[in-house]
Each structure stands twice: as C-alpha cells, then as structure tokens.
Amino acid sequence: MADQSTLQRRGLLFVLSSPSGAGKTTISRMLLTADEQISLSISVTTRSRREGEIDGVDYQFVSAEKFEEMVQKDEFYEWATVFDHRYGTPKAYIRKAMQEGQDFLFDIDWQGAQQLKQKDEQDVVTVFILPPDVAELRKRLESRGQDSQEIIDSRMERAKGEISHWAEYDYVIINDDVDACFVKVREILNAERVKRSRQTGLIPFVRKLTD
Ligand code: 5GP
C-alpha cells in the first residue's frame, strides 16, 4: 500500500535562523535526532575550530585562500561574512541529494537565508526563532561560558541587528519553551513536505487511482 512517505518528492531546504542564544542550535539538534529525512547542510568556514567541534561534522574548516578559491569557482549556493569570518554553503552535493528527496537543514543567518531564497524560492522554507525577551537572551549567551564579556556584548548588539530581519521569514516562532518550539518547527516541516508542488510522485499515483 502506498503511503505519503514513499511517494516521490523533491527535497526542501529548511532554514532555521535566530540571533545567537535564541535556541536555534538546540532545536536543530533535536530535529536532526528525531527526523531521519532531514540532514544538516555542513557549511564551509574560515573561522577556527572551537573545542568539541569536528571538521566535516560541524563545519568544513578551510583557509581564507581556499574559501576564496571556492568563491571564484562558483562552488557556493550562498556565502556571507559573519563576525569577520566567511561562511558558505557548498552546492554540488545538496542539489543532487535534493532531487532524490533528501531535505536539508540550514543553520545560517539572515544573509544566507536571503541568498538561498533568491536562488531557489520554491524549495526554500525559512523559520526565524525569537528569544522571549532581552534578559533571557543575555542569560543564554552568558551561560555558554565560552566567550568573553566583550564578545557577549558584541553578540548582543548583533542579535538586535539580526532580529530586525524577522519579517523576511516565512514563519516566526517565539522560543519561550524549547519543547513547544520544537513541536512547532516539526509541524511546519511536515506541512511543507506535503505541499502539492513538492510531491512529484502525485501525478502517477493519482493516475493509478483513476485509470
Ligand atoms: P558560529 O561561528 O557561531 O558557528 O556561526 C556564526 C554565524 O554564522 C551564525 O549566525 C550562523 O548561522 C552563521 N552561518 C553558519 N554557516 C553559515 C553559512 O553557510 N552561510 C551563512 N550565510 N551563514 C552561516
């Protein structure tokens, strides 16, 4: 018997953005654990590896020269400079896997989301996560314990800039409870998957029903 998940469909590019500290990384991890049809798009970056990060898993860490070479060869879907470092999404693998129905999760900022939308409007779904209030945002940034006060202050400033882009997103969620926020993210993803335009297997399926 056919069920929805075995019907052929095009993969989608699911973008989660938020200012640092609004919970995006936690939600991303929960989604990747719970849902086998979505995998993380691994970005290329020129920033140095943080403790605990693995090359090829968290990011592909490259030199500034290598990054520039990839830009020149048009190997990125999109790229941006964030906190003085460069970040980009390599496109070859993603395009191929999408044709086969693989969804990708993007943990990228508003610049990346905008560029992806411009390149590929119909396959991109964007979600913005907002912190419940400023005090909570600061608390979450401080509790990471990884960065100096100066960096935290500059991230707070940057967070305000990022929040100003909320209206460019398809969906906006306030993360006042991480589990509730996660449920909403999954509902969005599941609803987007059954959009008629994405289900390329529907025509032969319906033909069989009616012939
Ligand atoms: P971090 O250095 O803390 O891992 O990431 C810094 C910022 O860069 C985050 O806002 C993250 O979303 C953004 N970022 C990571 N990868 C990419 C990418 O491939 N493209 C764009 N545009 N932004 C990215």
Side-chain angles (χ1 to χ4, degrees), residues 18 20 24 43-44 47 50 53 59 78-80 82-83 87-89 107-109 111-112 155 158 162:
S18 77
S20 307
K24 172 184 60 175
S43 297
V44 177
R47 85 148 158 78
R50 293 193 190 122
E53 285 181 333
Y59 281 106
E78 61 77 34
W79 62 267
V82 187
F83 304 133
Y87 297 81
T89 305
D107 176 350
I108 57 178
D109 73 342
Q111 304 174 76
R155 287 201 162 185
R158 201 186 133 73
E162 286 197 27

Side-chain angles (χ1 to χ4, degrees), residues 87-153:
Y87 297 81
T89 305
K91 66 181 165 192
Y93 170 70
I94 287 184
R95 287 232 165 111
K96 185 171 175 295
M98 262 178 78
Q99 300 296 329
E100 292 158 8
Q102 176 71 46
D103 300 321
F104 283 97
L105 175 65
F106 288 77
D107 176 350
I108 57 178
D109 73 342
W110 65 270
Q111 304 174 76
Q114 234 176 40
Q115 288 184 62
L116 272 188
K117 273 259 184 209
Q118 278 163 9
K119 288 209 172 147
D120 192 357
E121 172 83 41
Q122 64 170 346
D123 294 321
V124 179
V125 177
T126 59
V127 180
F128 197 79
I129 300 174
L130 285 170
D133 54 56
V134 175
E136 181 63 26
L137 180 64
R138 181 169 277 278
K139 202 174 94 193
R140 289 185 198 168
L141 284 177
E142 283 170 350
S143 67
R144 288 181 174 188
Q146 272 184 358
D147 299 310
S148 68
Q149 194 58 43
E150 205 184 329
I151 289 178
I152 291 168
D153 287 345

Side-chain angles (χ1 to χ4, degrees), residues 49-206:
R49 203 164 56 82
R50 293 193 190 122
E51 209 183 308
E53 285 181 333
I54 301 169
D55 190 19
V57 175
D58 299 284
Y59 281 106
Q60 193 183 325
F61 297 95
V62 298
S63 66
E65 294 72 27
K66 172 72 184 165
F67 195 100
E68 181 55 28
E69 188 188 315
M70 292 178 78
V71 172
Q72 294 305 325
K73 288 187 178 161
D74 196 26
E75 289 179 16
F76 289 119
Y77 234 127
E78 61 77 34
W79 62 267
T81 303
V82 187
F83 304 133
D84 300 328
H85 296 294
R86 298 175 91 183
Y87 297 81
T89 305
K91 66 181 165 192
Y93 170 70
I94 287 184
R95 287 232 165 111
K96 185 171 175 295
M98 262 178 78
Q99 300 296 329
E100 292 158 8
Q102 176 71 46
D103 300 321
F104 283 97
L105 175 65
F106 288 77
D107 176 350
I108 57 178
D109 73 342
W110 65 270
Q111 304 174 76
Q114 234 176 40
Q115 288 184 62
L116 272 188
K117 273 259 184 209
Q118 278 163 9
K119 288 209 172 147
D120 192 357
E121 172 83 41
Q122 64 170 346
D123 294 321
V124 179
V125 177
T126 59
V127 180
F128 197 79
I129 300 174
L130 285 170
D133 54 56
V134 175
E136 181 63 26
L137 180 64
R138 181 169 277 278
K139 202 174 94 193
R140 289 185 198 168
L141 284 177
E142 283 170 350
S143 67
R144 288 181 174 188
Q146 272 184 358
D147 299 310
S148 68
Q149 194 58 43
E150 205 184 329
I151 289 178
I152 291 168
D153 287 345
S154 79
R155 287 201 162 185
M156 279 299 289
E157 273 317 300
R158 201 186 133 73
K160 289 179 191 164
E162 286 197 27
I163 287 170
S164 70
H165 291 276
W166 67 274
E168 295 154 25
Y169 284 75
D170 300 322
Y171 300 90
V172 179
I173 305 174
I174 299 169
N175 182 13
D176 46 11
D177 176 276
V178 74
D179 292 318
C181 180
F182 175 58
V183 167
K184 286 179 190 151
V185 168
R186 284 200 89 179
E187 284 168 350
I188 293 166
L189 179 59
N190 284 330
E192 288 285 344
R193 279 173 172 157
V194 291
K195 265 205 166 159
R196 177 170 43 80
S197 58
R198 282 206 177 94
Q199 299 194 78
T200 49
L202 267 183
I203 291 176
F205 177 76
V206 174

